[in-house]
């Protein structure tokens, strides 16, 4: 069993390390935006990103998820026909991506005046929104290349893409903010998307696939099941993107653009360290689950192991961020973002729920149960919109932050019950124990942060976070069956 834990840890470390680097670069960009453009500029950037995400999810037809699944299945075929099957799937997939990209451009340009009035109550930003069609097209083409790399489980390549694209994107985007201020946001997004596409293409072209020509019937044979499953995933993606879209709309309309920027900045920072766990799930864990669909016992074990490793890695980061929230805001943002520290501490409870719920959702995707997956997306996201509205109305921006945790609390219970009913998946004892311990630790550190002086709570909570981190490290070492002594002896033996 320790070998499977090591596989999960290796993939999480590889993707997670790349995510930490790219996330750090992204935080530097956020710092530049916060200093140069303020909360209003930060909110404008996030609104533009939400528009791109929503339209991409509509025109992509869920091909990101269904394509990865079909490519992973083709890659798992034995025999001489396996490689030909992969080449045919990849070729058909790359063709249809161009069509979805063109649809995205048309929809973005056509909806620009309407979107401008929805968000800003005037047509002033219509041209800027129309120009978002360029980074949207580049992003769709990039996701098409990444889907192929992910389906073939080239984890090292994906890690390198994240790092180089983040560094190149930052080097290209930051001068845009300096030179043109808020008017440079669209240009910066275009530069980032272009560099991301270029880096991804360089790695995708290294994949050695046979050159195949497909006629209309072969395209239809490959793309029909991909689109059928993709439509269900598209519904899920649209629900998710529309939910984020409505979040920003509610925050902007009810609290103002500055409050929306504060909310987004706090969430971005609170989710930063946990990104390395969540990104690894989509990159390695999902394709691995696809191969275990016909072996329920092994799938249940893989889910439990993924949950356990994810929680062991996430708990120290959550406790540390709870202690350091005010200082992190001071380092990564500006004086106008002081109120984000309290929001970060509330968001961390929701991030814990995210770490628990995400692995469960991938089990449904791996089974290809599109209708169930859509239901599991529609209910929580609809609930979150309602909770966000109530939170804003009665408790302001802090109520909005706390709504994330309440939503994951409800959706987590629903997911556990449905997975047990449909797939007979039960959870080993370490999962609820670790989740409960993390929740108690976060509650304790939050109470100390609210009741002690800033410097006193810093030392006390850092001590608690350190103790929690050492305990998680001890359990992780036991799970990995890691022995420094054996490693040293092995190195010395090879050295001889």
């Amino acid at each position: 069993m320790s070998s499977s834990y090591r596989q999960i840890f290796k993939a999480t470390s590889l993707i997670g390390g790349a995510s930490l680097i790219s996330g750090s670069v992204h935080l530097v960009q956020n710092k530049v935006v916060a200093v140069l453009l303020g909360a209003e500029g930060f909110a404008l950037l996030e609104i533009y990103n939400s528009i791109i995400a929503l339209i991409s999810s509509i025109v992509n037809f869920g091909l990101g998820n269904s394509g990865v699944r079909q490519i992973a299945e083709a890659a798992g075929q034995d025999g001489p026909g396996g490689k030909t099957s992969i080449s045919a799937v990849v070729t058909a997939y790359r063709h249809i991506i161009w069509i979805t990209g063109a649809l995205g451009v048309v929809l973005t340009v056509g909806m620009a005046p309407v979107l401008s009035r929805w968000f800003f109550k005037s047509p002033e930003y219509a041209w800027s929104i129309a120009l978002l069609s360029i980074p949207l097209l580049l992003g769709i083409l990039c996701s098409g290349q990444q889907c192929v790399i992910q389906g073939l489980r080239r984890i090292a390549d994906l890690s390198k893409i994240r790092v180089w694209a983040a560094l190149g994107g930052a080097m290209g985007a930051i001068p845009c903010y300096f030179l043109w201020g808020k008017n440079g946001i669209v240009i910066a997004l275009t530069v980032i998307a272009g560099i991301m596409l270029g880096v991804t293409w360089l790695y995708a072209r290294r994949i050695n696939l046979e050159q195949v020509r497909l006629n209309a019937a072969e395209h239809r044979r490959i793309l029909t099941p991909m689109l059928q499953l993709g439509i269900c995933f598209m519904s899920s993606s649209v629900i998710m993107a529309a939910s984020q879209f409505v979040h920003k709309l509610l925050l902007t309309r009810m609290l103002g653009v500055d409050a929306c920027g504060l909310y987004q900045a706090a969430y971005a920072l609170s989710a930063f360290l946990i990104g390395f766990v969540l990104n690894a799930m989509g990159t390695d864990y999902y394709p691995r689950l696809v191969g275990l669909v016909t072996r329920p016992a092994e799938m249940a074990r893989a889910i439990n192991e993924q949950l356990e490793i994810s929680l062991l890695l996430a708990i120290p980061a959550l406790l540390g961020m709870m202690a350091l929230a005010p200082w992190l805001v001071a380092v990564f943002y500006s004086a106008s973002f002081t109120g984000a520290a309290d929001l970060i501490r509330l968001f961390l409870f929701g991030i814990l729920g995210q770490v628990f719920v995400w692995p469960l959702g991938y089990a449904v995707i791996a089974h290809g149960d599109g209708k169930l997956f859509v239901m599991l997306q529609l209910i929580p996201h609809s609930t979150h919109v309602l909770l966000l509205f109530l939170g804003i109305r009665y408790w302001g921006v802090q109520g909005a932050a706390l709504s994330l945790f309440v939503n994951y609390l409800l959706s987590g219970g629903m997911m556990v019950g449905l997975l047990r009913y449909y797939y007979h998946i039960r959870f080993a004892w370490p999962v609820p124990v670790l989740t409960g311990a993390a929740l108690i630790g976060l509650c304790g550190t939050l109470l100390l942060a609210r009741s002690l002086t800033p410097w006193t709570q810093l030392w006390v909570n850092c001590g608690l976070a350190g103790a929690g981190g050492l305990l998680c490290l001890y359990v992780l070492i036991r799970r990995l069956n890691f022995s420094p002594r054996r490693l040293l002896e092995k190195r010395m033996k090879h050295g001889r």
Side-chain angles (χ1 to χ4, degrees):
M1 185 176 290
S2 61
S3 62
S4 58
Y5 277 112
R6 282 197 292 270
Q7 180 186 354
I8 295 169
F9 181 75
K10 181 179 178 181
T12 304
S13 301
L14 195 61
I15 296 296
S19 298
L20 281 175
I21 295 171
S22 61
S24 300
V25 174
H26 187 65
L27 284 178
V28 172
Q29 288 189 67
N30 287 349
K31 174 75 173 181
V32 173
V33 173
V35 172
L36 294 179
L37 311 182
E40 184 180 350
F42 197 96
L44 191 62
L45 174 62
E46 292 300 321
I47 288 169
Y48 286 165
N49 278 323
S50 69
I51 291 171
I52 292 173
L54 177 60
I55 296 177
S56 295
S57 64
I58 292 171
V59 301
N60 196 36
F61 297 104
L63 293 171
N65 285 314
S66 63
V68 168
R69 190 178 190 278
Q70 198 155 331
I71 292 169
E73 285 181 344
Q77 291 180 0
D78 295 323
K83 193 170 183 179
T84 304
S85 176
I86 298 171
S87 300
V89 172
V90 170
T91 300
Y93 179 76
R94 285 174 171 168
H95 289 167
I96 198 170
I97 282 297
W98 278 98
I99 298 174
T100 62
L103 287 174
V105 171
V106 173
L107 188 59
T108 305
V109 174
M111 287 289 293
V114 178
L115 292 170
S116 180
R117 289 190 182 91
W118 280 357
F119 274 105
F120 308 106
K121 301 179 183 178
S122 77
E124 180 184 353
Y125 291 88
W127 276 108
S128 297
I129 293 173
L131 289 173
L132 292 177
S133 59
I134 301 173
L136 181 138
L137 173 62
L138 297 175
I140 289 175
L141 297 177
C142 176
S143 66
Q145 300 289 353
Q146 283 186 325
C147 178
V148 175
I149 298 170
Q150 183 181 348
L152 297 175
R153 295 189 69 185
R154 297 173 70 97
I155 308 301
D157 285 351
L158 286 172
S159 302
K160 294 171 185 175
I161 288 169
R162 288 182 189 274
V163 173
W164 290 117
L167 291 171
M171 292 174 65
I174 289 175
C176 297
Y177 302 130
F178 272 108
L179 293 173
W180 299 293
K182 293 175 186 176
N183 294 327
I185 293 177
V186 176
I187 302 173
L189 291 174
T190 304
V191 170
I192 291 170
I195 291 174
M196 185 74 178
L197 175 61
V199 173
T200 307
W201 179 78
L202 287 174
Y203 281 92
R205 67 193 295 267
R206 297 178 182 179
I207 299 174
N208 185 22
L209 294 174
E210 297 176 6
Q211 296 294 321
V212 295
R213 289 184 174 274
L214 303 177
N215 56 34
E218 289 170 325
H219 272 97
R220 188 164 52 250
R221 176 182 58 82
I222 295 170
L223 293 176
T224 298
M226 192 184 294
L227 285 168
Q228 287 174 342
L229 181 59
I231 292 297
C232 295
F233 290 137
M234 181 197 76
S235 304
S236 167
S237 299
V238 171
I239 290 167
M240 185 182 300
S243 173
Q244 295 298 319
F245 184 89
V246 173
H247 291 178
K248 295 178 178 67
L249 198 60
L250 286 173
L251 287 161
T252 304
R253 288 297 188 98
M254 297 176 72
L255 298 175
V257 177
D258 287 350
C260 179
L262 198 68
Y263 176 93
Q264 292 299 140
Y267 179 76
L269 194 53
S270 61
F272 163 59
L273 285 177
I274 307 305
F276 76 96
V277 176
L278 301 180
N279 286 328
M281 290 184 195
T283 306
D284 175 73
Y285 171 63
Y286 168 43
R288 183 156 45 88
L289 282 187
V290 172
L292 299 175
V293 167
T294 58
R295 290 167 280 174
E298 292 185 38
M299 172 174 270
R301 190 179 73 182
I303 293 170
N304 276 284
E305 290 171 352
Q306 181 71 46
L307 275 167
E308 192 175 345
I309 293 294
S310 298
L311 287 167
L312 287 171
L313 292 172
I315 289 172
L318 292 171
L319 294 176
M321 290 201 72
M322 185 70 81
L324 297 171
W327 287 268
L328 292 172
V329 171
V331 170
F332 290 108
Y333 295 119
S334 63
S336 60
F337 288 80
T338 305
D342 289 335
L343 299 183
I344 287 173
R345 285 171 170 154
L346 296 175
F347 270 130
L348 292 175
F349 289 90
I351 299 299
L352 173 63
Q354 204 170 6
V355 172
F356 179 83
V357 169
W358 274 38
L360 310 184
Y362 280 114
V364 180
I365 302 175
H367 278 90
D369 291 338
K371 293 180 180 178
L372 177 61
F373 183 67
V374 170
M375 184 190 75
L376 291 175
Q377 293 294 309
L378 180 61
I379 294 174
H381 283 292
S382 301
T383 306
H384 193 192
V385 170
L386 176 61
L387 291 169
L388 184 79
F389 173 78
L390 294 174
I392 293 173
R393 183 171 182 178
Y394 293 105
W395 297 285
V397 70
Q398 292 198 1
L402 193 57
S403 68
L404 182 68
F405 170 65
V406 178
N407 186 58
Y408 272 117
L409 195 64
L410 297 174
S411 61
M414 180 181 68
M415 289 285 289
V416 169
L418 287 174
L419 288 185
R420 180 175 293 186
Y421 177 78
Y422 281 100
Y423 310 127
H424 309 292
I425 293 172
R426 297 180 180 273
F427 297 100
W429 66 266
V431 173
V433 169
L434 284 170
T435 306
L439 193 56
I440 292 170
L442 286 176
C443 288
T445 49
L446 178 62
L447 289 173
L448 289 171
R450 294 285 178 89
S451 58
L452 299 176
T453 61
W455 285 104
T456 304
Q457 76 84 22
L458 173 66
W459 291 110
V460 173
N461 280 341
C462 281
L464 291 174
L470 289 174
L471 183 60
C472 289
L473 180 62
Y474 171 76
V475 177
L476 187 61
I477 289 173
R478 293 288 300 270
R479 287 286 183 262
L480 298 175
N481 196 22
F482 176 75
S483 172
R485 181 179 176 182
R486 283 203 302 268
L487 181 62
L488 183 61
E489 289 175 352
K490 185 177 179 181
R491 292 258 178 116
M492 292 177 66
K493 182 178 179 181
H494 283 296
R496 293 174 184 172

